[in-house]
Amino acid sequence: MLHRRVDGRRGSPSVVARAVRMLLAVVAAASLTLGLAACGGSESDPGTGDNVASNDGQSATFAGGQDIEGKKVLFLIYTEASNFFWRPSLNGIAAAEAMTGLDVQVEYGDSDDAKMVNKLQTAIAQRYDGIAVSIPTAGLNKALCDAHEAGIPVVAFNNAAQTGEAKDCVLAYVGQDGAQAGELIASKMIEAGRIEDGAHGFCPVEYPNAVYADLRYSGVMRALETIGATCELTGVGPDTAPAQDKMTQYLLGHRDTDFIINLGGTPNTVAAAAMEKAGVDVPAGGFDLGNGSILRDIKAGKLYATVDQQPYSQGFLPVMQLALYLKFGLYPADISTGGNGLVDSSNVDQVLSLVPDYR
């Protein structure tokens, strides 16, 4: 029988929550160590699952508590399966699955709220034991609360856009603090002299109306306002080729652009190429590591820095939180990933060696 949370609070700083975070940190460290030892550095295509960590089928379930071997968990990602951002997450999921004995089913929503709601409803009807879900919009609210009412624990990852009463239907969030991360990259570029007083910038993002875009942009503007700088938010879509073309056209039409802060991995991946095509050379930084190209651009001096939200943790930790909840009744707790994970020329080589399997 599933343990139900009835106090209506998320991630309260209780002794239990702190204990959960400590245990997760230890387990995550052990998992990463084992995974690195097994990693052969394959160059297989992102998203194929070819380099997913494995323990040769041996399940290392926890001792004591309830038997969770084979219990089914839905891990619902809101984008397409081809999105290379999730490669480290898939490895994290596989590591947690092997350690806990859970049966984790990874599904994709193809950036379609209706499809995600349908998959959530199917999991409820099939009586899944847990759900980890990235929540891009409040359109999932009713389905999230339906799962909660059915006694299925829900942990959010990467995005937590539920609003109102639906916030009480999700036990915890594992992911980046978007506003904090936006302020971080803008502040670092200001401190490094890349953005000057009164400068005007370009802030491209995949989906300008998405919650993550709004949060990151608000953080960026919070930092820019301290020096009277501005940045224009512009949507460029999720696909690299069209995004590069749109960014190139923007730069050609806005010769007064003093800097670029890319609010998503897609524009950050193509920013250097767009600047080169437009004949522009301005300071640029942004988010995510991409498939390694962003890091190579940093190493080459084409980008200043990027914020790593650490998708491995966003795969591993939600599954571990659900396992601890199902087995021991330990409440999931909010965990921030990558809030201060800035990658620049000082640490790019160390991080590049871990892409795309763990970073």
Side-chain angles (χ1 to χ4, degrees), residues 5 9 11-21 331:
R5 186 171 189 168
R9 295 172 295 172
S12 57
S14 64
V15 173
V16 171
R18 288 194 295 271
V20 171
R21 285 193 289 268
Y331 292 137

Coordinates of all heavy atoms in Angstrom, one line a residue, residues 5 9 11-21 331:
R5 N 1.1 11.4 1.4 CA 1.5 12.6 2.2 C 0.2 13.4 2.4 O -0.5 13.7 1.4 CB 2.5 13.4 1.4 CG 3.0 14.6 2.2 CD 4.2 15.2 1.5 NE 4.8 16.2 2.4 CZ 5.9 16.8 2.1 NH1 6.6 16.5 1.1 NH2 6.4 17.7 3.0
R9 N 2.5 19.9 2.4 CA 3.7 20.8 2.2 C 4.7 20.1 1.3 O 4.7 18.9 1.2 CB 4.3 21.0 3.6 CG 3.5 21.8 4.5 CD 4.1 21.9 5.9 NE 4.2 20.5 6.5 CZ 4.8 20.2 7.6 NH1 5.5 21.2 8.2 NH2 4.8 19.0 8.1
G11 N 8.7 19.7 0.4 CA 10.1 19.9 0.7 C 10.3 20.6 2.0 O 11.2 21.4 2.1
S12 N 9.5 20.4 3.1 CA 9.7 21.1 4.3 C 11.1 20.7 4.9 O 11.5 19.5 4.8 CB 8.6 20.7 5.3 OG 8.5 19.3 5.5
P13 N 11.7 21.6 5.6 CA 13.1 21.4 6.1 C 13.1 20.6 7.4 O 13.6 21.0 8.4 CB 13.6 22.8 6.3 CG 12.4 23.6 6.6 CD 11.3 23.0 5.8
S14 N 12.5 19.4 7.4 CA 12.5 18.6 8.5 C 13.7 17.7 8.7 O 14.5 17.7 7.8 CB 11.2 17.6 8.4 OG 11.4 16.8 7.3
V15 N 13.8 17.1 9.8 CA 15.0 16.2 10.0 C 15.0 15.1 9.0 O 16.0 14.7 8.4 CB 14.9 15.6 11.4 CG1 16.0 14.6 11.6 CG2 15.1 16.7 12.5
V16 N 13.8 14.6 8.7 CA 13.6 13.5 7.7 C 14.1 14.0 6.3 O 14.9 13.3 5.6 CB 12.2 13.0 7.6 CG1 12.0 12.0 6.4 CG2 11.8 12.3 8.9
A17 N 13.7 15.2 5.9 CA 14.1 15.7 4.6 C 15.6 15.9 4.5 O 16.2 15.5 3.5 CB 13.4 17.1 4.4
R18 N 16.2 16.4 5.6 CA 17.7 16.5 5.6 C 18.3 15.2 5.5 O 19.4 15.0 4.8 CB 18.1 17.3 6.8 CG 17.8 18.8 6.8 CD 18.5 19.5 7.9 NE 18.2 19.1 9.2 CZ 17.2 19.7 9.9 NH1 16.4 20.7 9.3 NH2 16.9 19.3 11.1
A19 N 17.8 14.2 6.2 CA 18.3 12.8 6.1 C 18.2 12.2 4.7 O 19.2 11.6 4.3 CB 17.6 11.9 7.1
V20 N 17.1 12.5 4.1 CA 16.9 12.0 2.7 C 18.0 12.6 1.8 O 18.6 12.0 1.0 CB 15.5 12.4 2.2 CG1 15.4 12.1 0.7 CG2 14.4 11.6 3.0
R21 N 18.2 14.0 1.9 CA 19.2 14.6 1.1 C 20.6 14.1 1.3 O 21.3 13.9 0.3 CB 19.1 16.1 1.3 CG 17.9 16.8 0.7 CD 18.1 18.3 0.7 NE 18.0 18.9 2.0 CZ 16.9 19.3 2.5 NH1 15.8 19.3 1.8 NH2 16.9 19.9 3.7
Y331 N 9.7 11.1 2.9 CA 9.1 12.1 2.0 C 10.2 12.6 1.1 O 11.3 13.0 1.5 CB 8.5 13.2 2.8 CG 7.3 12.8 3.6 CD1 7.1 13.3 4.9 CD2 6.3 12.0 3.1 CE1 6.0 12.9 5.7 CE2 5.2 11.6 3.8 CZ 5.0 12.1 5.1 OH 3.9 11.7 5.8

